[in-house]
Amino acid sequence: FFLSSWLPQTLPFRGSHWQASLLALRASLPVRAQPKKKKKVDVKREQAQKDRMKKKIKKLEKAAPEMIPIEDFIAPLQYSDSNRVRSLPPLSFEENERRVLLMKKWCLFKQKQDKAEKKAIQNLVEAQQEALKELRLESEELYQAAIRRDEGLFPFERDGPDYTPPLPGYDPPEGKCVDITKVYTQ
Amino acid sequence: IELEKSHYSDHEIRKLEEEEQLRRRKESLYDDDDEAPGKTVIMAQDLEDKWEQKLQQFKAAPRITDADKNNNRTSLNRKLDSNLMLLVKQKIGNQELWLLPQVEWQPGETLRSTAERAMATFLGDHIQAKILGNAPYGIYKYKFPRAVRTEDNVGAKVFFFKAFLQSSDLSQAELKEDYLWVTKDELGDYLKSEYLKKVNRFLLD
């Protein structure tokens, strides 16, 4: 019995027949242990995070867009101080009468002006219609060419009338214009 | 300035406060002499005076130009508050007449291109004028005197177009001697009555 006791400890034990050689032990055995579990949980966790973020984004997008404040309609508070109110004497009766009569005269004047303008435009249109009728009698082709829209006409720009003509050789004073308008994004 | 429906502005409040300060200083008999020499303060009243002075110094160009005074009808600088139209002296048949510039229509071009050609002949090639639309504004038709009439050509029709001059710089224009810039009222001095009647219909102002 002494012979059998020390024999297996000197040689490496070749138990399973799956082993091709003694050195290929660690590589061939499939390992189902701790490292692989980490990968799966990571993937799941990351996917859950992404879904949560997407839900949050959807909620934010569904909320109605903020209104852009119109700065012209909001009067700054500093202008409603009481020390800003003027103290004027009340209007006299004659002044009121004068204003009412002036308003009436102005209304009448404007009405006449408006009627005259409309009549002038009517005359213009009539004259143009006549001209087009005569043109049609002359030649159909020219008539069709005349009726076509003029694309280069609009946008039409013209310098407005000034009270005095421009001064020749006038050098306007220099200055810098800094634009401080607030820009809002929705 | 609008006084009834407005409040005081910043500039006015500053003016009022400074007047108050001045009054108080005078009443308290120059107690704050320590402050005054240290800084030179610009008062709102001083600013206003400075602005007034600047306004007095500025002189605008006169509305009635030299051409108005001389009644020189060939210059564009007259009657700055009303529209001016170009009149040219042209030979029609055997008569020399004052007319709005006209040119015979060549077959193969539209009416508008005829108008552009007329502008180019009378005012030079590089003219900046905007023709308003493709359609004519008015028409004048007349019959030729019997001597000139043939079977086809009994008379002629003149179509009118409107155009705005963009620049008043006509130095490059090759205008002949017989041209005038006239307002609507002065048209009657030069045009014949029938022609004038038809022309007046489509001219505003």
Side-chain angles (χ1 to χ4, degrees), chain B residues 110-111 133 175:
Chain B
T110 63
L111 282 180
L175 278 168

Coordinates of all heavy atoms in Angstrom, one line a residue, chain B residues 110-111 133 175:
Chain B
T110 N -43.2 94.7 -77.6 CA -44.4 95.0 -76.8 C -44.4 96.5 -76.6 O -43.5 97.3 -76.8 CB -44.3 94.4 -75.4 OG1 -43.2 94.9 -74.7 CG2 -44.2 92.9 -75.5
L111 N -45.6 97.0 -76.1 CA -45.8 98.5 -75.9 C -44.8 99.0 -74.9 O -44.2 100.1 -75.0 CB -47.2 98.8 -75.5 CG -48.2 98.8 -76.6 CD1 -49.6 99.1 -76.0 CD2 -47.9 99.8 -77.7
G133 N -45.9 99.2 -64.5 CA -46.8 98.3 -65.1 C -46.7 98.1 -66.6 O -46.1 98.9 -67.3
L175 N -30.1 115.4 -74.0 CA -31.4 116.0 -74.4 C -31.1 117.0 -75.5 O -30.1 117.8 -75.5 CB -32.0 116.7 -73.2 CG -32.7 115.8 -72.2 CD1 -33.0 116.6 -70.9 CD2 -34.0 115.4 -72.8

